[in-house]
């Protein structure tokens, strides 16, 4: 086994989770999956992410510091994400996780908005990986799987939209390749920046990431999943949550 520096290991795992964006983009470009299938993946990924932020981020943050830091970080993360997401919606990134192509307006043509939205979605996820590998923290395979799965439907659905608007393969994959690279770099930087930070600081950052992810799930993933899976969205999300819970305990 290689004795990697911790920041390099964080960069590696950030790249691994980000690579699912390229997988989703490839599927979206090559295949015409039914919207219900994509939405089902999105619902499952939502459940996995909710499980990860509940049992790992929030619980770990509380153990490190206490109630005040967790509440502050959680609310701050949700507020920051909501404000950023609102701005991106106006810039054309509102439907970046759209699982179907019905009723899309010209906002879907904004590749810049989609790319920026994916970057914003990925920041708290990359923070989780970077901080999770700091000495004394924990990064479970369930967390890696949760982030990996949640990225696939985003790239898949957005790529289908860009393809329908006439975007070429080189253009599409350069966008997702750049975001994948960003995920790796930001995970490594997160590890470097917060190594040696106080327990209170790490608790705030963990809770902030959890708040941002939960706001992202509710704002973008669950509505799009429900739009196609309807009455089955809750059950599929439950299965995702249960899968992550079992993986964590195993």
């Amino acid at each position: 086994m290689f004795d990697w520096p911790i920041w390099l290991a964080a960069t590696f795992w950030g790249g691994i989770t980000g690579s699912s964006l390229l997988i989703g983009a490839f599927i979206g470009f090559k295949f015409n999956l039914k919207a219900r299938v994509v939405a089902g993946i999105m619902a499952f990924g939502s459940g996995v992410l909710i499980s990860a932020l509940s049992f790992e981020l929030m619980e770990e943050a509380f153990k490190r510091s206490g109630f005040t830091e967790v509440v502050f970080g959680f609310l701050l993360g949700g507020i920051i994400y909501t404000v950023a997401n609102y701005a991106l919606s106006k810039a054309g990134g509102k439907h970046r996780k759209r699982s179907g192509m019905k009723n899309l307006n010209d906002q879907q043509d904004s590749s810049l908005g989609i790319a920026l939205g994916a970057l914003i979605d990925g920041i708290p996820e990359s923070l989780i990986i970077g901080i999770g590998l700091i000495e004394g923290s924990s990064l479970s395979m369930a967390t890696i799987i949760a982030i990996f799965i949640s990225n696939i439907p985003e790239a898949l659905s957005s790529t289908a939209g860009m393809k329908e608007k006439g975007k070429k393969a080189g253009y599409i994959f350069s966008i997702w390749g750049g975001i994948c690279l960003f995920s790796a770099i930001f995970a490594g930087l997160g590890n470097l920046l917060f190594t040696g930070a106080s327990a209170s600081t790490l608790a705030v950052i963990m809770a902030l990431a959890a708040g941002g992810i939960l706001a992202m799930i509710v704002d973008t993933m669950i509505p799009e999943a429900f739009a196609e899976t309807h009455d089955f969205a809750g059950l599929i999300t439950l299965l995702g949550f249960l899968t992550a819970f079992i993986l964590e305990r195993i």
Side-chain angles (χ1 to χ4, degrees):
M1 296 291 293
F2 294 105
D3 187 17
W4 287 2
I6 300 300
W7 67 267
L8 188 57
T11 303
F12 170 78
W13 284 111
I16 290 295
T17 56
S19 68
S20 60
L21 291 170
L22 291 171
I23 295 174
F26 177 80
I27 296 173
F29 192 82
K30 289 292 185 179
F31 305 99
N32 294 317
L33 294 182
K34 292 184 178 180
R36 289 176 64 86
V37 174
V38 181
I41 297 172
M42 196 171 296
F44 187 86
S46 297
V48 178
L49 276 178
I50 292 172
S51 179
L53 70 88
S54 299
F55 294 108
E56 295 189 44
L57 287 180
M58 293 296 285
E59 185 174 351
E60 180 69 19
F62 182 76
K63 288 178 180 178
R64 282 181 170 274
S65 184
F67 188 75
T68 302
E69 289 81 359
V70 171
V71 171
F72 172 76
F74 192 69
L75 288 175
L76 181 62
I79 291 170
I80 291 174
Y81 179 85
T82 300
V83 171
N85 186 59
Y86 179 80
L88 286 169
S89 295
K90 298 299 182 181
K94 182 177 182 179
H95 297 296
R96 60 186 179 275
K97 294 184 189 288
R98 175 73 72 180
S99 50
M101 299 313 300
K102 295 178 293 184
N103 302 323
L104 288 187
N105 55 32
D106 291 337
Q107 288 181 333
Q108 185 66 58
D109 192 37
S110 178
S111 302
L112 177 60
I114 292 170
L116 288 176
L119 285 175
I120 294 298
D121 295 344
I123 287 176
E125 296 171 352
S126 297
L127 275 176
I128 291 173
I129 295 172
I131 294 175
L133 288 173
I134 292 175
E135 185 177 0
S137 299
S138 61
L139 178 65
S140 71
M141 188 54 61
T143 301
I144 296 295
I145 293 172
I147 298 173
F148 189 93
I149 292 175
S150 67
N151 283 335
I152 292 176
E154 174 172 9
L156 196 162
S157 55
S158 296
T159 296
M162 287 189 279
K163 180 182 176 182
E164 186 166 283
K165 294 295 184 179
K167 304 297 183 182
K168 301 299 183 182
Y171 178 85
I172 293 173
F173 285 100
S174 65
I175 288 178
W176 296 116
I179 297 172
C180 176
L181 180 61
F182 170 86
S183 298
I185 293 174
F186 202 88
L189 286 176
N191 182 270
L192 284 172
L193 288 173
F194 294 108
T195 295
S198 67
S200 294
T201 299
L202 288 178
V204 170
I205 298 301
M206 286 178 176
L208 185 147
I213 289 174
L214 185 57
M216 180 268 288
I217 292 170
V218 176
D219 282 351
T220 63
M221 295 183 71
I222 290 178
E224 301 300 351
F226 180 79
E228 295 295 335
T229 58
H230 302 300
D231 294 334
F232 295 100
L235 178 60
I236 298 171
T237 303
L238 181 150
L239 291 174
F241 184 98
L242 185 60
T243 299
F245 179 80
I246 292 172
L247 287 173
E248 174 63 21
R249 294 306 178 268
I250 293 176

